[in-house]
Amino acid sequence: SQQGEEDPQALSIQEGENATMNCSYKTSINNLQWYRQNSGRGLVHLILIRSNEREKHSGRLRVTLDTSKKSSSLLITASRAADTASYFCATDPDRGSTLGRLYFGRGTQLTVWP
Amino acid sequence: DAGVIQSPRHEVTEMGQEVTLRCKPISGHDYLFWYRQTMMRGLELLIYFNNNVPIDDSGMPEDRFSAKMPNASFSTLKIQPSEPRDSAVYFCASSLGFSGTGGFNYGYTFGSGTRLTVV
């Protein structure tokens, strides 16, 4: 399978704590993206990290990429109840036949309690 | 921009009826994707278009499903006849795709989805 797999499937924390979600994949990639989905809504693009990048920040989000381990992590610092959502990683495999589409994982359900 | 617009938001239909889902992508985006999301199977890519041309429809479950993109601003996903197992949330997404190097390096913009219930 070319899709990423998120870990854990579910994560429950208190407001103010940090949340870390992981994504593992199997093929070489051009880039990896993270998305958030609030209940009943479409996915929202959060951040893209290229295969030659190791870390990227956006506000309270920090994404790391380790291509040697074929894994990525998404860290949300100082979480808020509004961060409650499902988080998906999506990979763009480095294979000509699959150019033009991303492969999404099953997601991590994050619950942040007030 | 209003984002990716999907209609209807909810659709309840009887088994055997034809269902048509509609999508208006973001102007200037040359990639359009149709996804289906269920608890059991997660997010599944059904078909995607580049410059209005279908590129990969291997995810379309059966001949009952068809998709068209007659122009850059409109796409439809049709199910005929519909079955209860087609019940799901169907998402349309669009993207700029490539910036020239390094793969598919723009994010997708998703619509709000159509929740389809076939009874």
Side-chain angles (χ1 to χ4, degrees):
Chain A
S1 171
Q2 299 187 66
Q3 63 192 80
E5 293 184 13
E6 292 90 344
D7 173 66
Q9 287 188 320
L11 180 61
S12 186
I13 60 174
Q14 295 290 133
E15 261 191 334
E17 294 180 341
N18 295 341
T20 300
M21 288 157 272
N22 303 296
C23 172
S24 60
Y25 57 91
K26 295 182 178 177
T27 64
S28 296
I29 59 171
N30 291 310
N31 64 66
L32 184 144
Q33 304 183 23
W34 284 92
Y35 289 77
R36 182 188 75 234
Q37 183 180 33
N38 291 91
S39 180
R41 308 298 297 271
L43 281 73
V44 174
H45 179 251
L46 294 176
I47 199 164
L48 180 153
I49 187 164
R50 302 182 194 285
S51 59
N52 61 356
E53 297 175 314
R54 291 298 167 257
E55 188 170 313
K56 205 161 182 180
H57 297 254
S58 177
R60 293 184 296 112
L61 305 181
R62 173 178 164 245
V63 169
T64 61
L65 180 65
D66 187 335
T67 53
S68 66
K69 295 182 180 178
K70 291 187 170 57
S71 68
S72 173
S73 66
L74 170 67
L75 168 68
I76 304 174
T77 59
S79 62
R80 306 166 182 168
D83 295 327
T84 294
S86 292
Y87 291 82
F88 295 83
C89 69
T91 56
D92 172 25
D94 183 16
R95 288 176 56 184
S97 63
T98 61
L99 284 176
R101 63 159 293 182
L102 301 175
Y103 289 81
F104 286 84
R106 296 298 299 267
T108 292
Q109 173 61 49
L110 172 66
T111 302
V112 182
W113 298 99
Chain B
D1 201 316
V4 175
I5 300 173
Q6 290 187 247
S7 65
R9 282 285 277 136
H10 301 274
E11 177 82 35
V12 180
T13 190
E14 291 186 346
M15 183 172 62
Q17 296 298 306
E18 177 179 294
V19 176
T20 299
L21 311 181
R22 297 173 176 79
C23 175
K24 177 178 169 55
I26 290 175
S27 177
H29 282 192
D30 49 13
Y31 279 83
L32 183 139
F33 304 83
W34 282 101
Y35 281 88
R36 177 171 71 176
Q37 187 177 39
T38 61
M39 289 293 290
M40 289 293 291
R41 301 173 71 92
L43 200 61
E44 300 175 275
L45 177 65
L46 300 177
I47 185 171
Y48 75 99
F49 297 83
N50 177 213
N51 293 321
N52 314 337
V53 176
I55 302 300
D56 185 353
D57 65 354
S58 60
M60 297 285 261
E62 303 168 28
D63 291 345
R64 299 184 296 108
F65 286 69
S66 63
K68 294 182 180 179
M69 192 164 186
N71 57 62
S73 59
F74 184 66
S75 177
T76 59
L77 178 68
K78 187 174 293 186
I79 308 172
Q80 166 63 20
S82 58
E83 297 182 3
R85 61 192 166 123
D86 301 330
S87 296
V89 180
Y90 290 79
F91 288 104
C92 174
S94 69
S95 179
L96 284 168
F98 298 89
S99 68
T101 60
F104 201 85
N105 43 20
Y106 289 98
Y108 289 8
T109 301
F110 281 77
S112 297
T114 294
R115 181 172 295 277
L116 173 65
T117 303
V118 183
V119 298

